[in-house]
Amino acid sequence: MTIQQILLLLLLCMWLQHPCHTEMLFRRTPDLRPKSFGGRAPGSDGKAIHRQKRGWMWNQFFLLEEYTGSDYQYVGKLHSDQDKGDGSLKYILSGDGAGTLFIIDEKTGDIHATRRIDREEKAFYTLRAQAINRRTLRPVEPESEFVIKIHDINDNEPTFPEEIYTASVPEMSVVGTSVVQVTATDADDPSYGNSARIIYSILQGQPYFSVEPETGIIRTALPNMNRENREQYQVVIQAKDMGGQMGGLSGTTTVNITLTDVNDNPPRFPQSTIHLRVPESSPVGTAIGSVKATDADTGKNAEVEYRIIDGDGTDMFDIVTQKDTQEGIITVRKPLDYETRRLYTLKVEAENTHVDPRFYYLGPFKDTTIVKISVEDVDEPPIFSRSSYLFEVHEDIELGTIIGTVMARDPDSASSLIRFSLDRHTDLDRIFNIHSGNGSIYTSKPLDREISQWHNLSVIAAEINNPKDTTRVPVYVRILDVNDNAPQFAVFYDTFVCENARAGQLIQTISAVDKDDPLGGQKFFFSLAAVNPNFTVQDNEDNTARILTRRNGFSRHEISTYLLPVVISDNDYPIQSSTGTLTIRVCACDSRGNMQSCNAEALLLPAGLSTGALVAILLCIIILLVIVVLFAALKRQRKKEPLILSKEDIRDNIVSYNDEGGGEEDTQAFDIGTLRNPAAIEDKKLRRDIIPETLFVPRRTPSAPDNTDVRDFINQRLKEHDTDPSAPPYDSLATYAYEGNDSIAESLSSLESGTTEGDQNYDYLREWGPRFNKLAEMYGGGESDKDTS
């Protein structure tokens, strides 16, 4: 054992107040039961003291942790009073760590620890000991339990749960203000010695902060620490065991302390006077500049409210606090005029909105500055004398009459001349015009209130020297009414009178309308243009009149319709009147006066036949006539259809020949003998493809000689057909089974011509005669169109 361990063992024995030995002694009675033995203790009264004794005599074992020797660490010795030293007994150890951590010598009973023990892992071990006869293996002592307690040594330094702590404390705090508490722990036994007794001290952070040695509470050590001077502090705290004595183990931690802001600084303007400029043309609400007071505080402690507290421009300007930038924005409150005033002075105050009562002694928490605003001259547009104009004029005024005058002036000191004009978008009909020099508005077209009662004009005023600067003003022209329209019937009246009507019977009530709108309201009078023996007009004096009969009975056979002129006049000045004519039909009515028929022809029809039946009969007749006409047209068209529908008719068919033939030498396919003997076909034969309508006397043409070439024969027949009035009115093609020589026109096929490159000239078709005029127009016309396009 080392000297340090021996000293620790001695101290431990003194602390336990009993002899420190590591030997377990026991005596055994023959009957294996505890016996009492007699003895006298010094200072007794002579009586015997009886005490029971056990077979095992032992004490609690103690073992120091963290043994560093090379040999097994000796724990203690087990010994039985039955052990004669002849090796007949065997000691057995069981329990915690027996056989691995703790081993026992079977003969001597010595117990050793095989490895270093850490008390922080386990503080004590419970084991059981027994002595048996080696030969008989019978226990000579009963099994007994004992404890090996591990004594602590200072082998663990104090540790903090956090390597770095973060804390804060308000600035300007008094000395001793608690900041934060740090606590360290020590794994050593707190009940044994001072190994786990921790003392705190500050290694870094003085003289600003201090720490309580027993509790670890960090407190402020200086008064009035100002955040604006220094905001961050780093404090290093040490925790040391053994009560902080020399030789103790220690651990450290870092505490970052931040001084939080309080409102201990008032706002301050950097300048006592601020100069701003604003054009006089700035509209109301325009921001002309800003002021800002600085505050060393942050957050809500630096919030400032701006206001205008004095000056000669308090009614012309406003100030608004911008929360995000903490600026005061000065805006225009009323229109400015350089010619009226050119300089304004404002006194602006900035004040903290959150003031801490603890720091009133540092105040006041506000500041003021002087703001001088200069108004700059701007070439302003003209200004009208009014914001709008209203003119009233009668609709019957003469052309060129002045209806009103607008006035404008140049607000600038130069006072240039003004030119006036009308915005023609507001007067598309050009009814009005304006004098460009004096602003007089006059009429250029007649006015009519009944067409438009109001005219909304826009007048433009511009400086002659600067035409780009313009001003507009609305001009409202109201057209006053003049009695220039005569009253007329309100609606079209369909009037009838019954044949059995009596004198004085009402047949119609009429009313009138007038486009004019007199101030006293409409008043109409009704009368007849001339005395009428059949009807009369009775005025109801409420702008209506009644039409009455003057005699009994009317006859449709004599007169079926009467025309009654009615004169309608108004009462305005000048009086206007018109004559409206009522058409009165004479109708047959039943006994109740309901109209049945108004046509005189209805009397000729059977009495039981109604109007609907007559209409149905008429429709049937019309349908029959249409059917007859269609049938005749179809029959006529059928007569003109060809009797023989041949595939050789090129109007409707295209015949494809797959056999080219062998020319004139090929007599098997075609017989051209007829073409060689033109005399054989001299007799005129009627065409079989259509039905002849008129028979013409055929003209005799001289026969061609036998040796006439086929080309001459074809040309001769072509001339005959061109001059023959009996030829059909459409082009026809006669097919001859003779190819002949090459044609000067080459191929006439439109299919082949479509594949040729370039344009072709078809003017030669006009030389072929009237029969080819249509083709010449079709193809020649296309070329001409193409040229013109």
Side-chain angles (χ1 to χ4, degrees):
M1 297 178 64
T2 62
I3 297 175
Q4 184 179 6
Q5 290 177 337
I6 294 174
L7 292 175
L8 290 175
L9 181 61
L10 292 175
L11 291 174
L12 178 63
C13 293
M14 294 175 62
W15 178 65
L16 294 176
Q17 296 180 358
H18 60 76
C20 184
H21 58 86
T22 58
E23 182 179 357
M24 178 180 288
L25 301 177
F26 61 90
R27 293 183 179 84
R28 177 164 178 80
T29 58
D31 55 1
L32 299 178
R33 291 179 297 177
K35 297 289 183 72
S36 61
F37 64 91
R40 297 178 182 270
S44 65
D45 55 0
K47 294 182 179 180
I49 299 176
H50 299 278
R51 182 178 62 180
Q52 292 181 346
K53 70 173 182 177
R54 296 176 299 175
W56 287 102
M57 300 293 293
W58 62 283
N59 289 318
Q60 188 177 26
F61 292 143
F62 296 95
L63 185 65
L64 289 175
E65 66 171 336
E66 303 295 342
Y67 173 72
T68 58
S70 59
D71 298 332
Y72 288 165
Q73 186 179 5
Y74 181 74
V75 179
K77 184 179 181 64
L78 295 179
H79 185 69
S80 174
D81 56 358
Q82 297 294 327
D83 189 0
K84 304 300 184 181
D86 55 0
S88 60
L89 296 184
K90 179 181 179 180
Y91 295 97
I92 299 175
L93 188 65
S94 63
D96 294 340
T100 56
L101 180 59
F102 299 104
I103 59 176
I104 188 170
D105 191 333
E106 296 179 352
K107 295 180 179 181
T108 62
D110 293 332
I111 302 173
H112 290 83
T114 61
R115 60 179 175 83
R116 186 171 59 180
I117 298 175
D118 189 357
R119 188 202 67 84
E120 285 71 35
E121 294 181 0
K122 193 168 184 177
F124 62 89
Y125 296 86
T126 303
L127 294 96
R128 292 179 297 278
Q130 190 176 28
I132 63 174
N133 190 290
R134 187 180 296 275
R135 293 189 299 273
T136 63
L137 300 180
R138 293 176 61 123
V140 296
E141 296 290 346
E143 188 179 52
S144 182
E145 185 178 83
F146 66 95
V147 175
I148 299 178
K149 186 174 182 181
I150 309 301
H151 274 303
D152 183 44
I153 65 172
N154 190 18
D155 60 341
N156 291 280
E157 70 276 1
T159 59
F160 291 93
E162 301 289 341
E163 293 183 2
I164 298 178
Y165 289 84
T166 301
S168 62
V169 63
E171 63 174 333
M172 308 298 291
S173 297
V174 297
V175 175
T177 301
S178 175
V179 180
V180 68
Q181 182 179 13
V182 294
T183 303
T185 58
D186 196 322
D188 294 327
D189 188 0
S191 62
Y192 176 70
N194 293 326
S195 298
R197 184 187 174 192
I198 300 175
I199 297 297
Y200 299 94
S201 61
I202 185 168
L203 300 182
Q204 177 182 330
Q206 294 175 331
Y208 308 104
F209 299 95
S210 63
V211 63
E212 293 183 357
E214 300 292 339
T215 62
I217 298 176
I218 301 174
R219 300 181 181 275
T220 58
L222 284 181
N224 299 329
M225 286 192 294
N226 197 338
R227 183 199 66 85
E228 288 72 33
N229 295 334
R230 183 177 177 182
E231 184 177 5
Q232 299 289 338
Y233 295 86
Q234 190 176 74
V235 178
V236 178
I237 301 297
Q238 175 184 267
K240 191 174 184 180
D241 58 12
M242 297 298 293
Q245 299 177 5
M246 184 177 295
L249 302 178
S250 64
T252 61
T253 188
T254 301
V255 182
N256 293 326
I257 301 175
T258 302
L259 296 184
T260 58
D261 185 57
V262 298
N263 191 6
D264 58 339
N265 293 280
R268 290 289 181 263
F269 283 105
Q271 300 174 351
S272 59
T273 304
I274 300 174
H275 295 273
L276 297 177
R277 295 180 178 273
V278 56
E280 63 173 335
S281 59
S282 300
V284 174
T286 302
I288 64 174
S290 63
V291 295
K292 185 174 183 179
T294 59
D295 194 323
D297 299 320
T298 60
K300 69 176 184 178
N301 297 320
E303 292 182 0
V304 178
E305 186 73 24
Y306 296 91
R307 65 178 63 91
I308 299 175
I309 60 175
D310 198 5
D312 54 11
T314 55
D315 58 337
M316 301 297 294
F317 300 94
D318 279 332
I319 190 168
V320 179
T321 302
Q322 196 77 19
K323 295 297 183 181
D324 53 348
T325 61
Q326 289 298 305
E327 293 179 331
I329 308 300
I330 300 177
T331 60
V332 178
R333 185 176 182 181
K334 291 183 179 180
L336 304 174
D337 189 5
Y338 173 82
E339 289 72 25
T340 303
R341 187 162 191 172
R342 305 180 182 182
L343 181 64
Y344 294 91
T345 302
L346 305 176
K347 187 176 184 179
V348 178
E349 179 184 75
E351 182 179 11
N352 281 138
T353 55
H354 300 86
V355 180
D356 194 335
R358 297 176 300 172
F359 304 105
Y360 278 155
Y361 67 93
L362 299 176
F365 288 85
K366 57 185 176 181
D367 194 16
T368 59
T369 187
I370 300 299
V371 179
K372 294 186 177 181
I373 302 175
S374 300
V375 180
E376 297 178 342
D377 188 23
V378 175
D379 189 7
E380 300 176 85
I383 298 176
F384 284 94
S385 60
R386 301 180 190 175
S387 59
S388 64
Y389 293 86
L390 173 61
F391 300 137
E392 293 183 347
V393 59
H394 287 88
E395 60 178 329
D396 61 345
I397 62 172
E398 297 180 357
L399 295 181
T401 302
I402 296 177
I403 64 173
T405 302
V406 297
M407 292 183 293
R409 63 177 181 85
D410 182 11
D412 298 323
S413 57
S415 186
S416 63
L417 297 178
I418 307 299
R419 182 183 298 275
F420 299 93
S421 62
L422 274 176
D423 185 355
R424 288 304 175 184
H425 292 89
T426 61
D427 184 27
L428 296 176
D429 296 332
R430 295 183 175 270
I431 299 176
F432 301 95
N433 212 336
I434 189 171
H435 194 283
S436 61
N438 56 23
S440 299
I441 302 175
Y442 57 91
T443 60
S444 58
K445 288 185 180 181
L447 303 178
D448 191 347
R449 190 201 66 86
E450 287 71 35
I451 296 178
S452 179
Q453 186 176 357
W454 286 91
H455 295 274
N456 301 325
L457 308 178
S458 179
V459 176
I460 304 173
E463 298 179 10
I464 296 180
N465 297 332
N466 189 7
K468 294 183 179 180
D469 287 340
T470 61
T471 305
R472 294 172 177 265
V473 67
V475 177
Y476 307 104
V477 181
R478 180 181 180 184
I479 309 302
L480 301 179
D481 185 41
V482 174
N483 192 26
D484 56 348
N485 292 278
Q488 298 175 349
F489 281 131
V491 295
F492 173 77
Y493 295 100
D494 185 11
T495 308
F496 70 92
V497 60
C498 295
E499 288 183 313
N500 56 358
R502 297 183 179 275
Q505 183 175 341
L506 174 64
I507 63 173
Q508 184 69 59
T509 300
I510 60 176
S511 62
V513 293
D514 193 338
K515 295 181 180 180
D516 295 323
D517 187 17
L519 296 178
Q522 301 284 1
K523 180 63 177 177
F524 303 121
F525 302 96
F526 300 88
S527 62
L528 292 178
V531 177
N532 191 292
N534 302 308
F535 305 97
T536 185
V537 175
Q538 184 176 353
D539 196 336
N540 296 328
E541 297 183 356
D542 60 353
N543 292 339
T544 63
R546 297 187 297 170
I547 307 299
L548 304 176
T549 59
R550 297 188 64 181
R551 65 183 178 86
N552 296 328
F554 294 87
S555 175
R556 285 180 292 170
H557 302 291
E558 296 178 0
I559 300 177
S560 61
T561 302
Y562 292 91
L563 299 178
L564 181 64
V566 179
V567 178
I568 310 172
S569 59
D570 56 22
N571 67 337
D572 203 358
Y573 180 83
I575 296 176
Q576 300 287 342
S577 63
S578 67
T579 300
T581 301
L582 284 177
T583 301
I584 304 174
R585 295 181 298 161
V586 180
C587 301
C589 303
D590 57 12
S591 59
R592 297 181 180 179
N594 297 324
M595 180 183 66
Q596 290 184 340
S597 177
C598 295
N599 295 327
E601 292 78 3
L603 298 174
L604 302 176
L605 298 175
L609 201 58
S610 63
T611 304
L614 293 175
V615 174
I617 293 172
L618 182 60
L619 289 176
C620 291
I621 294 173
I622 293 174
I623 293 173
L624 289 175
L625 290 175
V626 171
I627 292 174
V628 171
V629 172
L630 291 176
F631 181 77
L634 290 175
K635 187 175 181 181
R636 181 179 179 86
Q637 183 68 24
R638 190 177 303 158
K639 291 181 179 180
K640 294 183 178 181
E641 291 180 355
L643 296 177
I644 300 176
L645 297 177
S646 173
K647 292 183 179 180
E648 298 176 358
D649 190 355
I650 65 169
R651 292 171 297 169
D652 300 321
N653 300 281
I654 297 177
V655 181
S656 175
Y657 298 96
N658 297 325
D659 187 6
E660 189 173 310
E664 295 181 1
E665 301 298 331
D666 187 3
T667 59
Q668 300 296 327
F670 303 97
D671 184 9
I672 63 173
T674 306
L675 294 178
R676 287 297 186 181
N677 187 16
I681 57 172
E682 283 298 321
D683 296 335
K684 289 290 184 176
K685 295 182 180 180
L686 299 177
R687 294 179 57 173
R688 295 183 299 170
D689 56 346
I690 61 172
I691 300 174
E693 296 180 355
T694 306
L695 295 178
F696 294 90
V697 179
R699 295 187 303 167
R700 289 291 181 176
T701 57
S703 300
D706 294 341
N707 58 355
T708 304
D709 189 68
V710 177
R711 179 188 303 171
D712 298 334
F713 171 76
I714 294 176
N715 291 333
Q716 180 181 353
R717 288 291 183 257
L718 181 60
K719 293 179 180 179
E720 293 177 1
H721 282 79
D722 288 342
T723 57
D724 188 5
S726 63
Y730 53 84
D731 293 338
S732 63
L733 178 64
T735 304
Y736 299 94
Y738 175 70
E739 210 172 89
N741 295 331
D742 295 337
S743 173
I744 60 173
E746 296 181 351
S747 175
L748 297 179
S749 173
S750 60
L751 298 176
E752 182 181 354
S753 61
T755 61
T756 59
E757 297 181 358
D759 298 332
Q760 297 185 21
N761 186 5
Y762 297 96
D763 292 340
Y764 58 84
L765 295 176
R766 301 183 183 276
E767 302 175 358
W768 289 10
R771 296 290 184 180
F772 295 92
N773 287 340
K774 187 63 176 179
L775 290 175
E777 292 177 0
M778 292 173 58
Y779 288 91
E783 295 297 328
S784 61
D785 293 342
K786 188 181 299 184
D787 296 339
T788 57
S789 62

